[in-house]
Amino acid sequence: MKVEKLFFPILFALLCNPVLAQEFDLEASIQRGNTIYSSSCASCHMMNGTGISGVYPSLAGADSLMNDIPEMLTWIVDGGEVNGVSHSFSLTDREVSDLLNYIRNSWGHEGEAILPEEVQPALQESEEGD
């Protein structure tokens, strides 16, 4: 009897919350990230991720993409400064997640999914490490 009373509220919560109702779709995240990268990043880092030597770092073959998630998130969110011009981006946690998933799964990289809910804790970790 108690199980029946719990079943419907739990089912309702799952159906009303798509994040709980389905697993994270890495492929869809990568596709969304490709769109963000193409419109916001490729003009400097190039579509093939090779960057511009001495100006914009190469993302292709960069081990730091796989190892230092908090640092990567900080670069994506805060941007950087090139020739005195600041480059920062206003992205949601989902967009940051999508962009990082695209970068970490392109140009020969194979990275695990970075979930949107992991963005803020990782950024805080990066700030605490400074």
Side-chain angles (χ1 to χ4, degrees), residues 54-118:
V55 182
Y56 299 105
S58 175
L59 302 176
D63 291 338
S64 61
L65 295 173
M66 309 312 285
N67 302 326
D68 194 348
I69 303 307
E71 181 71 19
M72 284 302 305
L73 287 169
T74 300
W75 273 100
I76 288 172
V77 172
D78 295 339
E81 188 172 302
V82 178
N83 297 329
V85 177
S86 178
H87 300 277
S88 62
F89 305 95
S90 179
L91 301 172
T92 67
D93 288 351
R94 180 180 136 180
E95 291 168 329
V96 171
S97 166
D98 292 342
L99 179 58
L100 193 52
N101 285 326
Y102 171 72
I103 293 169
R104 287 173 37 90
N105 287 281
S106 297
W107 316 300
H109 297 290
E110 288 185 30
E112 293 180 13
I114 305 299
L115 305 177
E117 57 268 18
E118 296 174 324

Side-chain angles (χ1 to χ4, degrees), residues 9-24 117:
I10 292 172
L11 179 62
F12 180 77
L14 286 172
L15 293 174
C16 291
N17 188 337
V19 173
L20 293 175
Q22 64 184 5
E23 291 185 29
F24 185 77
E117 57 268 18

